[in-house]
Amino acid sequence: MRKKIALIGGGNIGGTLAYIIASKELGDVVILDRTREFAAGKALDIEESLPIMKKDLSLIGTDSYEDIAGADLVIITAGVARKPGMSRDDLLSINAEVTKSVAEGVKKYASNAFVIVVTNPLDAMVYAFLRYSGFSRHKVVGMAGVLDSARFRLFLARELGASVQDITTFVLGGHGDTMVPLIRYTNVGGVPLEDLIKQNVISTEKVESIIERTRKGGEEVVKLLKTGSAFYAPATSAVEMAESYLNDEKRLIPCSIFLEGEYGLNDICMGVPAFIGNKGVEKIIEIGFNDDEKVVFQKSAEAVGDLVAAMKRILN
């Protein structure tokens, strides 16, 4: 029996998610959007490509939460996308209310699902979903670290003239300007980035500029598009997390998770490494930080904490 995957939000990310999921034949898809015809049109368009792709699954578009009943996986992209000059934080008041409504619908009709939140501001929206759904923290994650790490890997690979496949890294912390790309945990084909810096293959200054570009990665796309925000890379990132859950791959993935003492933090959602399998978040890994990394990670935690505090005031 195929898995049932509910996509909450039928915009650019939701539509791209549906197409990737169909191309990989991961499960039957329900696209839920506030405009039923819009969601149904996207579903039909993708469904008509199935004979060409030689895939067999069901896609429907709807505006009713009843149609997501029994979903195994829910991916939430509903909300307002960033526009030029708008920060993720500017989205807070609008998307917090959206997430509250989504949480109520998912709790009622898909209470056993694993949930991946993509809506920005990401860490605050994961917190909001947990609060209003009552779900276990092991069943709800935010997609941020996969995307941020991919951007860091790409920019570093282009500078080094290396394959993106050979670069591994972690980008942790909040999803925004205070995210924490970790040089010490970055390597190229197994060679630590720090060794390449010592051998003058790449300068510290260049790495720092790449880190800054990574932090502004979403903003860079927004400025170029002018009428929207990134969707191909975010959708692909969410699918990687979805596959680890659906296929019990137990991948070690950086994702936003509600912390209960890990890294000395409580009552906050932050990007940390975790094993994702068919039970959801199966184990959170606490990596060691040096003094400089601790400072940067704590700064990121403070920024996310301020965001969550602001969201609480809005929703109370």
Side-chain angles (χ1 to χ4, degrees):
M1 184 175 178
R2 289 192 296 263
K3 299 290 186 180
K4 183 174 182 178
I5 302 169
L7 308 177
I8 313 298
N12 283 335
I13 298 179
T16 305
L17 277 167
Y19 183 77
I20 296 173
I21 289 168
S23 69
K24 290 175 173 282
E25 211 169 9
L26 296 179
D28 293 331
V29 177
V30 177
I31 303 173
L32 189 153
D33 193 85
R34 60 185 178 181
T35 305
R36 189 195 67 79
E37 292 82 0
F38 179 76
K42 286 206 172 183
L44 180 59
D45 189 17
I46 296 170
E47 194 168 36
E48 288 172 348
S49 72
L50 295 179
I52 302 166
M53 292 193 290
K54 297 180 175 60
K55 304 297 181 182
D56 202 354
L57 60 137
S58 165
L59 291 104
I60 66 168
T62 183
D63 60 359
S64 172
Y65 277 94
E66 293 182 12
D67 290 320
I68 75 166
D72 300 281
L73 172 69
V74 173
I75 305 179
I76 301 168
T77 67
V80 176
R82 275 203 297 174
K83 298 177 177 63
M86 180 186 287
S87 72
R88 289 185 177 90
D89 298 3
D90 293 333
L91 301 175
L92 184 63
S93 60
I94 299 172
N95 287 349
E97 288 295 339
V98 172
T99 299
K100 179 181 178 181
S101 176
V102 171
E104 291 168 350
V106 173
K107 179 180 181 180
K108 184 174 181 179
Y109 292 104
S111 59
N112 293 320
F114 181 64
V115 178
I116 300 172
V117 179
V118 181
T119 303
N120 277 318
L122 191 281
D123 304 290
M125 294 304 102
V126 176
Y127 189 98
F129 184 91
L130 281 162
R131 175 174 172 176
Y132 286 102
S133 68
F135 278 28
S136 162
R137 70 171 182 150
H138 298 286
K139 299 293 282 186
V140 181
V141 297
M143 189 292 297
V146 176
L147 173 60
D148 298 331
S149 298
R151 286 171 171 159
F152 189 39
R153 290 165 60 197
L154 173 70
F155 301 152
L156 194 56
R158 294 295 183 255
E159 181 62 32
L160 291 169
S163 169
V164 293
Q165 299 179 63
D166 284 344
I167 296 177
T168 57
T169 191
F170 275 132
V171 177
L172 307 181
H175 183 50
D177 295 343
T178 61
M179 68 179 69
V180 186
L182 294 170
I183 297 175
R184 211 161 48 88
Y185 286 93
T186 302
N187 68 73
V188 183
V191 178
L193 179 59
E194 289 183 327
D195 286 1
L196 298 181
I197 294 172
K198 290 175 183 176
Q199 295 175 38
N200 297 317
V201 175
I202 188 171
S203 68
T204 299
E205 292 74 21
K206 178 54 70 174
V207 172
E208 289 297 329
S209 72
I210 290 172
I211 288 174
E212 186 59 23
R213 187 182 180 192
T214 300
R215 288 179 173 144
K216 303 289 186 181
E219 181 181 334
E220 183 178 358
V221 175
V222 168
K223 286 180 178 178
L224 289 168
L225 290 176
K226 294 183 173 60
T227 58
S229 58
F231 52 95
Y232 292 120
T236 306
S237 300
V239 169
E240 180 171 81
M241 300 173 76
E243 286 184 295
S244 191
Y245 170 71
L246 294 170
N247 300 330
D248 195 25
E249 293 175 356
K250 302 189 188 302
R251 298 278 308 281
L252 182 60
I253 296 174
C255 43
S256 185
I257 300 172
F258 185 81
L259 300 180
E260 296 178 341
E262 296 87 1
Y263 293 90
L265 299 171
N266 285 282
D267 195 34
I268 193 172
C269 295
M270 288 277 285
V272 297
F275 285 105
I276 304 296
N278 63 6
K279 295 180 178 63
V281 177
E282 299 193 352
K283 186 174 181 60
I284 297 171
I285 301 300
E286 294 189 64
I287 64 174
F289 291 148
N290 61 29
D291 290 342
D292 291 339
E293 291 161 349
K294 286 179 183 177
V295 170
V296 178
F297 190 80
Q298 185 58 38
K299 180 181 177 182
S300 188
E302 290 170 1
V304 174
D306 290 343
L307 197 59
V308 169
M311 185 202 64
K312 288 179 180 178
R313 291 193 293 272
I314 290 168
L315 295 180
N316 282 339

